[in-house]
């Protein structure tokens, strides 16, 4: 109980149990209602993404790096490409069973844990929403300034389409932005997709298909989709949080002082 702080930092006299948001120099972390099936689907698309959508960063990073490492060692993406093209025998030969069998339980855990965590966090959000405790909406630190503000979800989508991570920078989701931008560089470099595009512009389709590395290429669609979805959803939810904070502030500080016009008896 020594580390438990039952008071609201903005109002030491008010005891609170749960906050629904926290604004820091690295981003805005908040609770909001999420669909557990959608979060589980993102974990199925790429282990770690479901947890990152929940702002469970350490767990998400661990599962994400596990996916890249073990998938590469098992040659799972290459086997998927061979399966999609009807070459089942080649898919069987390229798979490494030592790493494939290790991959399966963690993959299932990522889906299950993200679903379970989403259900729990939805319950916590409902309790926090009911308590409606104050939270900080502005922070100024040595490296960054962050504050709640309304932004356009469409802008977040467009910037994410240009380069994954830019949409997160637009809404000041710095940790996810750095993570997303770093790994899109890794995927683009090792997949050699830009080299393949170069050959396509030259009309050399055969060379373009030969140079590309499908093992790394298959990481990119999920990565792009996650960057777009995460930027859009968090922009929408940040806008809701901004409105909620403004509504509460105006109600507590101005509504009680409304002007009452006396009725004149003639």
């Amino acid at each position: 109980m020594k580390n438990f702080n039952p008071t609201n930092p903005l109002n030491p006299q008010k005891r609170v149990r749960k906050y629904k948001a926290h604004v820091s120099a690295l981003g805005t972390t908040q609770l909001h209602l999420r669909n557990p099936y959608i979060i589980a689907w993102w974990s199925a698309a790429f282990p770690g993404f479901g947890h990152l959508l929940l702002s469970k960063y350490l767990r998400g990073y661990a599962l994400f790096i596990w996916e890249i490492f073990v998938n590469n060692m098992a040659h799972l993406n290459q086997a998927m490409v061979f399966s999609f093209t009807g070459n089942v025998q080649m898919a069987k030969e390229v798979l490494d069973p030592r790493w494939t069998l290790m991959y399966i339980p963690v993959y299932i855990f990522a889906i299950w844990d993200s679903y379970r965590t989403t259900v729990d966090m939805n319950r916590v959000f409902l309790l926090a929403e009911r308590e409606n405790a104050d939270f900080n909406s502005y922070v100024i630190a040595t490296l960054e300034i962050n504050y709640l503000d309304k932004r356009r979800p469409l802008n977040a989508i467009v910037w994410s389409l240009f380069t994954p991570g830019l949409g997160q920078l637009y809404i000041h989701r710095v940790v996810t932005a750095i993570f997303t931008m770093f790994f899109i560089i890794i995927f683009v470099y090792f997949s050699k997709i830009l080299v393949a595009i170069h050959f396509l512009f030259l009309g050399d389709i055969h060379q373009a298909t030969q140079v590309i590395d499908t093992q790394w290429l298959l990481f990119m669609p999920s990565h792009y989709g996650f960057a777009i979805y995460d930027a859009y959803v968090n922009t929408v939810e940040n806008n809701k949080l901004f409105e909620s904070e403004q509504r509460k502030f105006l109600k507590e500080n101005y509504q009680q002082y409304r002007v009452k016009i006396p009725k004149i008896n003639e």
Side-chain angles (χ1 to χ4, degrees), residues 15-102:
R15 297 173 64 87
V16 297
R17 294 186 64 203
K18 293 177 174 63
Y19 304 96
K20 63 180 181 180
H22 176 69
V23 177
S24 69
L26 296 179
T28 301
T29 304
Q30 63 168 304
L31 294 170
H32 61 84
L33 290 178
R34 298 174 174 91
N35 189 326
Y37 293 104
I38 292 179
I39 300 299
W41 185 90
W42 276 110
S43 292
F46 205 118
F49 280 166
H51 292 85
L52 291 178
L53 288 169
L54 297 172
S55 297
K56 293 278 190 177
Y57 296 115
L58 296 181
R59 202 177 308 184
Y61 296 152
L63 290 169
F64 184 90
I65 294 171
W66 170 276
E67 162 69 17
I68 294 175
F69 179 73
V70 179
N71 191 318
N72 278 323
M73 299 303 293
H75 308 290
L76 188 60
N77 284 349
Q78 286 181 330
M80 291 173 62
V81 171
F82 286 129
S83 298
F84 293 156
T85 55
N87 196 343
V88 180
Q89 184 60 35
M90 195 64 183
K92 293 179 180 179
E93 293 177 2
V94 77
L95 275 177
D96 189 333
R98 297 172 300 175
W99 290 97
T100 304
L101 294 176
M102 187 184 300

Side-chain angles (χ1 to χ4, degrees), residues 99-117:
W99 290 97
T100 304
L101 294 176
M102 187 184 300
Y103 177 89
I104 296 172
V106 178
Y107 181 80
I108 296 174
F109 169 81
I111 299 172
W112 172 82
D113 188 65
S114 62
Y115 178 91
R116 176 197 62 82
T117 305

Side-chain angles (χ1 to χ4, degrees), residues 96-166:
D96 189 333
R98 297 172 300 175
W99 290 97
T100 304
L101 294 176
M102 187 184 300
Y103 177 89
I104 296 172
V106 178
Y107 181 80
I108 296 174
F109 169 81
I111 299 172
W112 172 82
D113 188 65
S114 62
Y115 178 91
R116 176 197 62 82
T117 305
T118 305
V119 173
D120 288 344
M121 291 182 65
N122 284 345
R123 293 170 181 166
V124 174
F125 167 76
L126 293 176
L127 293 173
E129 181 74 8
R130 184 178 182 86
E131 189 165 358
N132 199 22
D134 292 330
F135 59 89
N136 62 320
S137 60
Y138 171 87
V139 62
I140 180 168
T142 304
L143 297 178
E144 276 288 353
I145 300 173
N146 188 20
Y147 51 89
L148 284 180
D149 193 12
K150 296 196 72 172
R151 293 178 172 86
R152 298 183 61 187
L154 181 60
N155 287 349
I157 293 176
V158 171
W159 285 116
S160 296
L161 285 170
F162 284 143
T163 301
L166 294 183

Side-chain angles (χ1 to χ4, degrees), residues 184-230:
I184 195 61
I185 294 173
I186 298 295
F187 296 154
V188 167
Y189 179 81
F190 284 104
S191 68
K192 301 178 183 177
I193 187 172
L194 295 183
V195 179
I197 292 174
H198 171 73
F199 283 120
L200 282 177
F201 285 155
L202 296 177
D204 193 344
I205 299 177
H206 175 74
Q207 187 65 24
T209 56
Q210 290 296 315
V211 75
I212 202 162
D213 189 332
T214 55
Q215 174 62 35
W216 287 94
L217 180 66
L218 259 64
F219 288 130
M220 293 184 61
S222 298
H223 200 72
Y224 252 98
F226 166 76
I228 296 169
Y229 179 80
D230 178 79

